[in-house]
Amino acid sequence: MGVDIGGTTTSVAFVGARGEVLASERRATRPERGAEVVIEEIASVIRDLAEAREMVPAAIGVGAAAQVDREGTVVAAPNLGWSAVPLARRLGRATRRPVVVTNDVRAATYGEWRFGAGRGARDLLCVFVGTGVGGGIVADGRIRFGATETAGEIGHMPIVHGGRRCRCPGRGCLEAYVGGWAIGARAQEAAREEPRRAAELLRLAGRRSRISARTVSLAAGRKDPLAAEILAETVGYLTTGLVGLVNVVNPRIVILGGGVVEGIPGLLPRLRAGVGRSALAAATEGLTLLRARLGGDAGMIGAAALAREGVPWRS
Ligand SMILES: [Zn+2]
């Protein structure tokens, strides 16, 4: 089984050996109830699904919107408000099954690699741009976690020295420019500086403080010049980040997913052109940029596959 614990929604699924979702359930996470209550609810959803399908899960894989250590303890999870939660141990005790826990984006990367857009690749990079920005690295046929599980935290790769304040809380991080929250903040600033040019954004959002990445995407769809400009800058920042990553990681495939990726028209060709112009020639030889294929299921499919196939640091 695969479990994806996000800030707002938790998904649980029986996942077959070919990555197919056999049965699934979604619940509101409501993390403010405390980890204990949320873990007990996940265990009860797992029991109900197992009973309904008359199947017993071989193992349970969890991807959580959190920093997770190798024992499966949530070290820190700003989106959940949890810290020092021994998630793997507690869920294991509640379900009496082996439990593996990793970061949700690393789980999604594993899912896209094994069963999605990256099938069969030895070297790939996943980039998920939603409200936050995260990623995952597969190099030489292995998913990479790093010394303390932060490999793939590409949202917090600085792209501007002394730049915009991030939520991490560094400055100039990629996420502070292209994350959904950052696009909204940049658009609100533009609307404060140039209220007349921001008329369409203000009309769509109702008021300045409600302008979001989605507002910008909607306005750009209606050919609003300011929104188009904000998105063009966003593409520029994302290109800068990708150029560095492509040079350093040297993937064969870059997989892009997440709400912001969906919300920028024609993004992939624009990124392809930008990366092709600016990255090292050797790093872009045979490089392909693709859209993620598993959508919102990538995390639970990947977590289930990690649980089934064994996490690399235990092999
Ligand atoms: Zn950051």
Side-chain angles (χ1 to χ4, degrees):
M1 290 184 103
V3 180
D4 187 347
I5 307 178
T8 51
T9 310
T10 292
S11 318
V12 181
F14 259 119
V15 179
R18 289 180 304 278
E20 68 278 29
V21 173
L22 303 171
S24 67
E25 273 283 336
R26 266 172 220 281
R27 296 281 169 89
T29 306
R30 291 189 288 140
E32 68 283 356
R33 296 177 296 169
E36 205 71 63
V37 177
V38 173
I39 292 168
E40 194 37 63
E41 186 174 36
I42 291 169
S44 102
V45 171
I46 288 171
R47 280 192 294 269
D48 290 351
L49 269 177
E51 209 165 288
R53 301 287 302 195
E54 297 183 347
M55 292 195 291
V56 177
I60 298 163
V62 181
Q67 240 183 288
V68 181
D69 73 11
R70 291 187 177 188
E71 270 64 59
T73 293
V74 169
V75 178
N79 290 331
L80 301 171
W82 299 351
S83 62
V85 175
L87 181 53
R89 205 174 66 219
R90 286 199 193 154
L91 190 60
R93 204 186 293 146
T95 57
R96 302 205 176 124
R97 307 307 305 159
V99 174
V100 160
V101 181
T102 189
N103 167 273
D104 57 347
V105 183
R106 242 69 80 220
T109 297
Y110 201 79
E112 287 289 345
W113 177 37
R114 297 286 290 107
F115 303 112
R119 274 181 98 139
R122 275 182 61 77
D123 299 279
L124 71 83
L125 172 70
C126 271
V127 177
F128 296 97
V129 190
T131 301
V133 178
I137 298 164
V138 172
D140 304 313
R142 282 169 74 99
I143 187 158
R144 298 297 164 178
F145 292 88
T148 54
E149 316 291 299
T150 77
E153 290 289 352
I154 61 174
H156 305 291
M157 178 178 73
I159 56 166
V160 178
H161 173 67
R164 297 179 66 87
R165 192 176 288 282
C166 187
R167 300 201 292 196
C168 73
R171 274 188 178 276
C173 297
L174 181 61
E175 181 175 307
Y177 293 86
V178 308
W181 63 268
I183 296 172
R186 285 170 41 225
Q188 289 181 20
E189 284 164 26
R192 194 175 54 224
E193 283 159 23
E194 300 181 274
R196 283 177 54 200
R197 284 189 75 211
E200 179 72 358
L201 287 174
L202 289 163
R203 195 185 63 77
L204 287 168
R207 62 169 182 262
R208 198 178 70 206
S209 62
R210 294 176 67 165
I211 296 174
S212 65
R214 198 177 140 64
T215 320
V216 178
S217 175
L218 276 174
R222 298 173 183 208
K223 310 282 174 222
D224 177 61
L226 179 58
E229 199 176 292
I230 293 166
L231 289 189
E233 283 165 12
T234 306
V235 174
Y237 291 123
L238 195 49
T239 303
T240 297
L242 279 184
V243 167
L245 287 164
V246 162
N247 286 345
V248 171
V249 177
N250 192 199
R252 176 72 64 192
I253 300 175
V254 177
I255 298 171
L256 290 128
V260 169
V261 170
E262 304 303 323
I264 302 179
L267 176 63
L268 260 64
R270 291 160 83 180
L271 289 176
R272 257 182 222 121
V275 171
R277 262 195 310 273
S278 304
L280 295 171
T284 53
E285 208 183 294
L287 176 71
T288 314
L289 268 65
L290 299 172
R291 270 179 196 285
R293 213 177 276 166
L294 304 180
D297 290 345
M300 61 187 186
I301 291 173
L306 263 172
R308 175 191 296 278
E309 294 167 9
V311 286
W313 61 81
R314 295 205 186 131
S315 62

